[in-house]
Amino acid sequence: MTLPGRGPRGYRELAEHLARQIRDGIYPAGQRLPSELALQQTYDLARNTVRKAVEELEYQGLVVVQRGYGAVVAIEQEKQRVIVPAGTVVSGRMPTLTEAYEWGLPRGIPMLIATGPDGTVIQALPADRFEIVTE
Amino acid sequence: MTLPGRGPRGYRELAEHLARQIRDGIYPAGQRLPSELALQQTYDLARNTVRKAVEELEYQGLVVVQRGYGAVVAIEQEKQRVIVPAGTVVSGRMPTLTEAYEWGLPRGIPMLIATGPDGTVIQALPADRFEIVTE
DNA sequence: AAGTATTTGTCCGTATGTATT
DNA sequence: CAATACATACGGACAAATACT
């Protein structure tokens, strides 16, 4: 039962509340968050508001939302190290729609871009599966 | 005047439509997109749907939305090169709420993380202002 | 300085579609 | 087939930031 004035108000507070619970291990990696309906009832918020909060977590890469199933706490993946020559410039940006589709990327995963000293793009890789190291 | 069945349907198509217009230079960097009201009327969509489309562009780092002003086409910034020693591992992730606040980050800007070979974090920098290079 | 118009932000409600279990 | 859960889209109301007069 939720008392008025208690608990997180608005989607930001709910997002922070849930993020804290995830960090505290209340929802371990791989586990589902409560459903939108459950959250809605628990915190006495509209479903739209709950959805906005979960969207925040998704944007931060904390959860992956699967339609018809639920919002799953993100699992830290084993990252493949890509070796690039010295002088390589590494930058980052969000994926284009095409890249997101090609790599099957969930939201909240940026791309790592490796470019040569002259500016030519060497590689564009999703940051949830790769990291770049120079030697 | 919008005829039924013409133009983008739904927020995804509208987002792609606007993204194409931005790439084609119809809305140059620094310029505002049409207001939500204008888009709503032009494409005969609900305001919420228009907002979701603009949110997509924001997520991709294509625009920066300013409350009370509008959605501005993102301006490519001059990036500062940070030099790190060989063997440094570079990864990427979305900013935490704290980082976003500290750096004054708009949505759609990832963080670049430089870690030593042993895993200790050397630096965490926003990708719209920095790029990492090893030498 | 004050007030008005414009523009985005938040929140609610409702209905229907689609994917997974 | 049915139940559960997320996705999309519409509508409305008011708040808050910005710009302009």
Side-chain angles (χ1 to χ4, degrees):
Chain A
M1 185 184 65
T2 309
L3 278 62
R6 304 225 165 248
R9 297 289 86 193
Y11 80 94
R12 286 174 181 278
E13 287 185 22
L14 177 56
E16 287 178 35
H17 178 74
L18 293 173
R20 196 176 313 114
Q21 289 187 311
I22 290 172
R23 275 196 302 274
D24 291 350
I26 294 176
Y27 304 115
Q31 193 171 98
R32 268 185 302 181
L33 253 51
S35 73
E36 293 172 356
L37 178 62
L39 292 172
Q40 177 181 339
Q41 291 169 341
T42 300
Y43 298 104
D44 190 29
L45 295 167
R47 190 179 159 219
N48 283 343
T49 306
V50 169
R51 279 180 64 75
K52 196 108 164 74
V54 174
E55 194 176 279
E56 274 294 322
L57 303 181
E58 201 179 14
Y59 169 77
Q60 291 172 39
L62 256 52
V63 303
V64 177
V65 181
Q66 292 168 266
R67 180 180 191 166
Y69 182 68
V72 179
V73 178
I75 298 170
E76 181 76 11
Q77 294 192 47
E78 187 68 24
K79 278 165 197 152
Q80 189 173 334
R81 289 194 174 175
V82 175
I83 298 170
V84 295
T88 303
V89 179
V90 181
S91 58
R93 60 164 170 74
M94 293 315 283
T96 63
L97 279 179
T98 308
E99 286 169 339
Y101 175 77
E102 285 174 352
W103 289 97
L105 285 183
R107 280 190 136 62
I109 305 297
M111 299 287 291
L112 288 171
I113 316 296
T115 53
D118 55 349
T120 54
V121 175
I122 301 172
Q123 271 172 322
L125 303 166
D128 62 340
R129 272 159 270 184
F130 295 93
E131 51 194 12
I132 294 174
V133 57
T134 72
E135 296 213 67
Chain B
M1 185 182 63
T2 309
L3 278 62
R6 303 223 166 252
R9 298 290 83 194
Y11 80 94
R12 286 176 181 278
E13 287 185 23
L14 178 56
E16 287 178 34
H17 179 74
L18 293 173
R20 196 175 314 116
Q21 289 188 310
I22 290 172
R23 291 200 191 84
D24 290 352
I26 295 176
Y27 304 116
Q31 192 171 102
R32 269 186 300 180
L33 253 49
S35 73
E36 293 172 357
L37 179 62
L39 291 172
Q40 177 181 339
Q41 292 169 340
T42 301
Y43 298 104
D44 190 29
L45 294 167
R47 188 181 161 217
N48 282 342
T49 305
V50 169
R51 279 181 63 75
K52 196 108 166 69
V54 175
E55 194 177 279
E56 272 295 321
L57 303 181
E58 199 179 17
Y59 169 78
Q60 292 172 40
L62 256 51
V63 303
V64 176
V65 182
Q66 291 168 262
R67 181 181 191 163
Y69 182 67
V72 180
V73 177
I75 298 171
E76 182 76 11
Q77 293 193 45
E78 188 68 23
K79 279 165 195 150
Q80 189 174 336
R81 289 195 174 174
V82 176
I83 298 168
V84 294
T88 303
V89 179
V90 181
S91 57
R93 60 163 170 75
M94 294 315 285
T96 63
L97 279 179
T98 308
E99 287 169 339
Y101 176 77
E102 285 174 351
W103 288 97
L105 286 184
R107 279 192 140 61
I109 305 297
M111 299 287 290
L112 288 172
I113 317 296
T115 54
D118 56 347
T120 54
V121 174
I122 299 171
Q123 271 172 322
L125 302 167
D128 63 340
R129 273 161 268 183
F130 295 93
E131 50 193 13
I132 294 175
V133 58
T134 73
E135 294 208 75

